[in-house]
Amino acid sequence: MQLNLHRAELTISAVHPRQYPATGMPEIAMAGRSNVGKSSCINKLLNRNKLARTSSTPGKTATINFYNIDDQLFLVDLPGYGFARVSKAEQEKWGAMINTYLDKSVPLCGVLLLVDARHKPTTQDVMMYSWIRERFGEVTVVATKADKLGITKLPPALDLIRSTLGLSENDTLLAFSGEKGTGKDELWQEISRITGVEL
Ligand code: GTP
Ligand code: MG
């Protein structure tokens, strides 16, 4: 890999658009429900345990975190949606923050939609899928926590994700494990294809 993954750092935790980095470097964002494994996915991609903060309590990531990877691209960690136990006002604030970023970021090349491999995607997942497809024409869906499903249960679980979201043949669905590293190389290939950054 020519991309130096040791050169990865948090540039900024942004709330407001004026805080987004202005380098013009390509950005790729992780979207998905609270607790689905967005921050863990970033850590696994970078072979780091604690760069992105994770927690078994949903609602850990509360800002838009831009990780600069070797001055080549930003991996963008978003707050999760759909966490019932944070207040309605807080949920709305996060929702607005996520939507503003997705609408306003010019260098945004793509959004990875993370869903839990074990569960049927929610209405909010379907909405996010539609939005990504509308803007980018194709969607990369990452089924996280694949390590929690046995080898026989994974294919039907992926079928349920495919049918619930209504994936088209342009879309990509990858099984991933932030625990074991399953799917990491394939996900880097996707990120490279989407951002145009050579690995
Ligand atoms: P928010 O920031 O709250 O939106 O959550 P998040 O999507 O960033 O999830 P996070 O990465 O913090 O992970 C949530 C919990 O799931 C943590 O306890 C992780 O250790 C666990 N987890 C994440 N990915 C995996 C995975 O692939 N396999 C297993 N077994 N556990 C995982
Ligand atoms: Mg997080």
Side-chain angles (χ1 to χ4, degrees):
M1 222 191 215
Q2 32 180 321
L3 195 63
N4 184 355
L5 298 185
H6 296 296
R7 295 191 67 227
E9 60 176 28
L10 175 65
T11 297
I12 191 161
S13 294
V15 173
H16 194 274
R18 66 173 173 266
Q19 300 171 301
Y20 302 165
T23 63
M25 255 157 46
E27 295 169 11
I28 188 157
M30 311 276 163
R33 299 185 72 198
S34 253
N35 209 44
V36 72
K38 300 175 293 298
S39 303
S40 301
C41 180
I42 289 181
N43 286 336
K44 187 44 93 179
L45 285 170
L46 300 174
N47 309 314
R48 298 274 284 266
N49 284 331
K50 290 186 182 146
L51 186 65
R53 307 259 301 279
T54 65
S55 167
S56 54
T57 310
K60 184 65 184 178
T61 308
T63 50
I64 300 175
N65 296 337
F66 291 82
Y67 294 94
N68 176 334
I69 316 303
D70 198 21
D71 292 335
Q72 299 287 313
L73 78 154
F74 283 109
L75 292 181
V76 181
D77 195 9
L78 296 174
Y81 49 77
F83 176 44
R85 268 180 291 165
V86 302
S87 71
K88 191 115 195 264
E90 195 81 354
Q91 279 196 51
E92 277 167 12
K93 199 176 80 189
W94 289 2
M97 185 162 65
I98 296 167
N99 292 344
T100 301
Y101 169 71
L102 294 176
D103 283 338
K104 295 241 160 98
S105 172
V106 177
L108 184 64
C109 299
V111 180
L112 304 175
L113 176 59
L114 276 66
V115 296
D116 191 316
R118 298 166 299 169
H119 305 304
K120 185 177 155 97
T122 64
T123 308
Q124 279 177 305
D125 291 328
V126 175
M127 283 165 60
M128 184 58 79
Y129 170 83
S130 305
W131 186 92
I132 300 168
R133 183 154 153 191
E134 182 88 2
R135 168 144 177 201
F136 298 106
E138 56 165 41
V139 188
T140 300
V141 179
V142 180
T144 62
K145 309 193 184 184
D147 55 282
K148 294 199 177 202
L149 283 174
I151 190 117
T152 52
K153 289 203 172 141
L154 187 60
L158 294 178
D159 282 343
L160 181 64
I161 291 168
R162 213 176 266 117
S163 60
T164 308
L165 293 176
L167 294 202
S168 83
E169 47 192 42
N170 295 330
D171 298 334
T172 306
L173 175 60
L174 289 178
F176 185 84
S177 167
E179 196 92 338
K180 301 231 164 101
T182 317
K184 186 173 90 166
D185 294 346
E186 291 89 339
L187 188 51
W188 268 121
Q189 292 293 339
E190 277 294 290
I191 293 171
S192 167
R193 187 179 64 78
I194 293 166
T195 59
V197 169
E198 283 183 42
L199 299 178

